[in-house]
Amino acid sequence: MKQAHEAPKRHKLIEYANGPSLEEINGTVPVPTGKGFWRTLFAYSGPGALVAVGYMDPGNWSTSITGGQNFQYLLMSIILISSLIAMLLQNMAAKLGIVSQMDLAQAIRARTSKSLGIILWLMTEFAIMATDIAEVIGAAIALYLLFHIPLVVAVFVTVFDVLLLLLLTKIGFRKIEAIVVCLIMVILLVFVYQVALSDPDWGAVIQGLVPNAATISTHPTVNGMSPLSGALGIIGATVMPHNLYLHSAISQTRKVDHSDPDAVATAVRFTQWDSNIQLTFAFVVNALLLIMGVAVFKSGAVKDPSFFGLFHALSNTSMLSNGVLIAVAKSGVLSALFAIALLASGQNSTITGTLTGQVIMEGFIHMRMPLWARRLVTRLISVVPVLICVWLTRNLPAVDEHEALNTLMNNSQVFLAFALPFSMLPLLMLTDSAAEMGARFRNSGWVRGCGWVAVIGLTFLNLLNLPAAFANFVSPALAPEAHVAAYIAIALILALLGWCMYDLTQHNRRLTALAQEAD
């Protein structure tokens, strides 16, 4: 595989691409050899932060806070389990990129038929656009809350984050990583401050980390949510397919001597350290969000779990749990910090979402666009449903407008249920294969076992939730038809998964046979 080199000058908006993943930044970050643990870890730190952004984006916020409001600390264990699964899958994705020198999209496309590759590309594009809808809504609402910009104008303003991408493409990947880390720290510090003021019951928090049968019970139902539906919401908002594609690409930004297996092993080790540390921060943020739902607000006080409702709740002294919070809330600091964290989260997701879009476009269909053009197209498509939603509710009471936007954001995430199995399953099969990874780097027995449990479990839960997700798109009278459509979709997903498994298995057999002939 050729090493990264200086990218040629480009003269076309759309070009053919079949080289290294994210060629402009591939192998551009030098790493030390033979140095101490901490210096080496620092050199490899950064890609994990870009991945962790996807685990604390605006789509996670309402599910975690609402789960805390409705069931206290019961769902803490779900956040923990989701984070551990995320660490497992992201470690596989990083290892795939470093060892094979291909990102996940490239690896899938090279080992499956062209027609299946195009189908998987389209599904993943829809998933990225669905994620982008949540980012548009979060950023627009943050601008509205902070600067009182009308929502329609704020939605259009989010399009101009393409200018941020133009700037970032000029400053180097290492500086992009630093900016993302700074934004993550802003989000973390905001929620640490708010939770510290609330003085939660830390004993109950720790107890909530222990899984029990009540977390997947269908009773009781609180505000239309059962523990099971709350758990599914948290899981669905946590593990996202685009993060696996992204990590397999940006793990290749470090300059590694691939002719030396020990150097490759070192890169895998420190990249996984980076990933686990950053995802631990993501777990803390999501845990803090749930704790906010329990300790910052009075139990059952938050009737509107939208970003609007949470913002106003943080300035409504009658809804807060103690005198310290009430005193700070009177100054408007709590609500302002919440909006700032929301805006930081949206900008972080802008960076990672655009990089991921480029990865899947180059990997699946061998097309390349400049990052700014890619972002502009995706964002313009994503703002359309948001603008329609704002326009249709313009003459309704504010609470109806807020509810409509919140519903749009939640419903958009249904596309993630389609795309997630088609990133997890190939990732697991590829990294399980000795023919693909070599005996040294294939998954160990315990990783393989945990991986299959995670993939099968997450796929089952995503498909289990599809009928309810489809029903949310239509009126109650059309719920039976929506359920039928959901079951047809489930059948199609399972058929496509079977097709994907067949292609990957056949390719693995061919590689194994070739290796045996060579021996």
Side-chain angles (χ1 to χ4, degrees):
M1 190 82 175
K2 61 182 178 179
Q3 294 294 320
H5 56 274
E6 186 177 350
K9 292 182 179 179
R10 311 205 192 286
H11 303 285
K12 297 179 181 178
L13 187 64
I14 299 177
E15 295 188 336
Y16 178 78
N18 194 22
S21 182
L22 294 176
E23 188 171 2
E24 292 84 353
I25 58 176
N26 192 293
T28 58
V29 180
V31 291
T33 55
K35 303 298 181 182
F37 175 85
W38 293 108
R39 183 174 174 182
T40 307
L41 178 61
F42 178 76
Y44 279 96
S45 295
L50 273 73
V51 169
V53 166
Y55 292 94
M56 58 178 86
D57 72 348
N60 294 57
W61 292 27
S62 64
T63 54
S64 295
I65 292 177
T66 306
Q69 272 280 290
N70 292 341
F71 304 110
Q72 300 294 295
Y73 299 109
L74 178 66
L75 300 181
M76 282 289 293
S77 61
I78 300 299
I79 293 177
L80 176 61
I81 292 169
S82 297
S83 298
L84 293 174
I85 292 173
M87 290 179 185
L88 181 72
L89 294 174
Q90 295 299 160
N91 283 342
M92 290 183 196
K95 181 172 67 174
L96 175 70
I98 295 168
V99 174
S100 71
Q101 294 182 264
M102 290 189 289
D103 61 55
L104 180 58
Q106 291 173 327
I108 294 174
R109 177 64 189 88
R111 290 154 178 76
T112 58
S113 63
K114 182 178 180 180
S115 53
L116 179 59
I118 292 173
I119 292 171
L120 296 181
W121 170 65
L122 289 172
M123 291 178 65
T124 312
E125 286 283 8
F126 279 121
I128 290 175
M129 290 176 189
T131 303
D132 205 41
I133 288 175
E135 295 164 14
V136 170
I137 292 173
I141 291 175
L143 291 170
Y144 168 80
L145 295 174
L146 284 171
F147 307 111
H148 306 293
I149 299 173
L151 270 177
V152 172
V153 177
V155 170
F156 279 112
V157 170
T158 66
V159 175
F160 291 100
D161 66 11
V162 67
L163 299 176
L164 174 66
L165 261 297
L166 276 173
L167 172 65
L168 293 178
T169 55
K170 305 296 183 184
I171 66 174
F173 191 69
R174 197 70 171 135
K175 293 184 178 67
I176 293 176
E177 293 172 344
I179 291 170
V180 169
V181 169
C182 290
L183 290 171
I184 288 175
M185 294 308 297
V186 168
I187 299 168
L188 179 64
L189 291 174
V190 166
F191 293 134
V192 165
Y193 174 68
Q194 295 190 349
V195 167
L197 293 179
S198 70
D199 190 25
D201 181 350
W202 292 109
V205 171
I206 294 171
Q207 186 177 350
L209 293 172
V210 180
N212 63 78
T215 56
I216 55 173
S217 172
T218 55
H219 298 286
T221 299
V222 181
N223 297 323
M225 176 187 286
S226 68
L228 176 61
S229 63
L232 288 173
I234 289 172
I235 292 170
T238 301
V239 183
M240 295 190 179
H242 63 276
N243 279 325
L244 302 178
Y245 292 101
L246 177 65
H247 207 179
S248 63
I250 60 176
S251 64
Q252 300 177 55
T253 56
R254 272 49 185 175
K255 194 177 296 182
V256 177
D257 180 6
H258 285 87
S259 64
D260 180 2
D262 289 336
V264 174
T266 297
V268 170
R269 176 190 172 208
F270 282 98
T271 300
Q272 291 181 341
W273 265 100
D274 168 49
S275 175
N276 291 339
I277 290 170
Q278 301 293 348
L279 287 174
T280 299
F281 281 119
F283 161 71
V284 171
V285 168
N286 287 320
L288 290 171
L289 286 164
L290 187 140
I291 295 169
M292 277 184 65
V294 181
V296 172
F297 307 109
K298 292 178 181 177
S299 181
V302 179
K303 302 300 182 185
D304 178 6
S306 70
F307 297 134
F308 296 98
L310 294 170
F311 178 86
H312 291 302
L314 286 167
S315 57
N316 186 341
T317 56
S318 67
M319 300 176 72
L320 299 175
S321 63
N322 65 48
V324 175
L325 284 167
I326 290 171
V328 177
K330 288 179 180 178
S331 67
V333 169
L334 291 182
S335 54
L337 286 175
F338 177 83
I340 290 169
L342 183 59
L343 188 60
S345 178
Q347 294 313 301
N348 256 345
S349 299
T350 290
I351 300 168
T352 59
T354 305
L355 288 172
T356 306
Q358 193 72 2
V359 168
I360 67 162
M361 180 180 284
E362 290 184 15
F364 279 124
I365 60 172
H366 303 318
M367 284 173 50
R368 175 190 288 121
M369 296 174 66
L371 286 179
W372 66 266
R374 164 80 204 189
R375 184 57 182 177
L376 191 59
V377 171
T378 306
R379 179 49 61 96
L380 287 173
I381 293 172
S382 300
V383 301
V384 170
V386 183
L387 287 172
I388 292 172
C389 183
V390 172
W391 179 258
L392 291 176
T393 57
R394 67 191 186 282
N395 295 322
L396 297 177
V399 67
D400 292 328
E401 181 183 60
H402 301 170
E403 183 179 348
L405 282 172
N406 201 55
T407 301
L408 172 64
M409 184 180 69
N410 291 336
N411 287 345
S412 69
Q413 305 303 296
V414 71
F415 290 104
L416 302 180
F418 287 96
L420 184 59
F422 296 96
S423 56
M424 293 191 302
L425 182 64
L427 174 65
L428 181 58
M429 292 182 68
L430 289 167
T431 52
D432 273 353
S433 169
E436 298 282 1
M437 304 293 289
R440 180 171 182 177
F441 295 108
R442 69 176 297 194
N443 294 333
S444 62
W446 75 268
V447 170
R448 193 178 309 122
C450 291
W452 279 107
V453 170
V455 169
I456 293 172
L458 285 177
T459 301
F460 172 76
L461 291 174
N462 273 279
L463 298 184
L464 179 67
N465 199 43
L466 269 188
F470 272 50
N472 286 336
F473 278 101
V474 298
S475 65
L478 295 175
E481 289 82 358
H483 286 169
V484 171
Y487 292 127
I488 293 173
I490 289 171
L492 289 173
I493 289 172
L494 293 175
L496 280 173
L497 281 174
W499 184 5
C500 190
M501 288 183 69
Y502 175 80
D503 279 7
L504 290 170
T505 301
Q506 290 298 104
H507 184 86
N508 189 62
R509 286 175 178 168
R510 288 193 293 270
L511 283 182
T512 303
L514 288 172
Q516 290 173 346
E517 289 175 7
D519 291 340

